Amino acid sequence: MSEPTYHRIIADGLWLNNPGTVQLLGLCPLLAVTTTVTNGLGLGLATTMTLVASNVIVSLIRRLVRPEVRIPVFVLVIASVVTVIDLAMNAWLHELHMILGIFIPLIVTNCSIIGRAESFASRHSVDRALLDGLAMGIGFTLVLVALGGLRELFGQGTLLAQAHLMFGEIGRQLTLTIIADYRGFLLAILPPGAFMGLGFLIAGMNVINARRERRAT
């Protein structure tokens, strides 16, 4: 099997095959936790670390695992990685861990992670598997942060609220009040607001892609 180029792997992860806006995988955590930029960034980084670690391990053992048991083995690898990340976040980012709650352990069931392990990492070299996990993770994180920023801005009038949960005391200086004395827009931080925000992001991507295609032709 021919190996994809590094450029193609990066382009797929960040834009062409983004898990959040193109594949539409992992929508449950994507829509549930993105009430702020900080929440989206925290979950995105945890997902990225899971993708990178699981892809590398799956690529390393791909010739040792029989095809009949590959899916259970991949799930076991992913569950082990997520358990380590969950315990680490609970130890060092306890307050953020409490906010994200069950969605950290639920990374195990994220379809994009098992999908990358099965469709890419199990068929390609370690370096490309690592880059694929990193690109897909960053792409997913960007969607989480963008959606979290959109909902936080319209819902609270701020950006990076509670950043100290991730960055410590210096995070208090990162919080931006965009609209002073803002009473809030409740719909933005409720589940319908998450669906609407994601719809706007997908629509924006489609507009950009259409313009690029017109310029190319």
Side-chain angles (χ1 to χ4, degrees), residues 78-154:
I78 295 169
S80 301
V81 172
V82 171
T83 300
V84 172
I85 293 173
D86 183 46
L87 293 174
M89 289 189 68
N90 193 19
W92 289 304
L93 300 172
H94 180 69
E95 293 183 18
L96 181 62
H97 180 270
M98 293 294 292
I99 293 175
L100 297 179
I102 192 62
F103 292 103
I104 297 298
L106 281 181
I107 292 176
V108 176
T109 63
N110 192 321
C111 298
S112 63
I113 297 177
I114 187 65
R116 299 319 296 173
E118 166 64 15
S119 65
F120 194 94
S122 64
R123 305 179 184 185
H124 296 286
S125 59
V126 175
D127 58 332
R128 283 173 169 79
L130 186 152
L131 183 60
D132 177 76
L134 188 61
M136 287 289 171
I138 293 176
F140 188 63
T141 302
L142 291 176
V143 175
L144 285 165
V145 170
L147 183 56
L150 191 65
R151 295 177 67 191
E152 182 182 349
L153 179 61
F154 284 97

Side-chain angles (χ1 to χ4, degrees), residues 175-215:
T175 301
L176 302 175
T177 301
I178 307 300
I179 307 175
D181 299 323
Y182 185 55
R183 295 186 178 183
F185 182 46
L186 183 59
L187 179 63
I189 58 177
L190 291 177
F195 282 100
M196 293 172 63
L198 181 61
F200 283 125
L201 290 180
I202 295 174
M205 285 190 63
N206 289 339
V207 169
I208 294 173
N209 288 334
R211 289 181 178 176
R212 292 175 62 185
E213 290 177 2
R214 285 198 298 269
R215 290 176 181 175

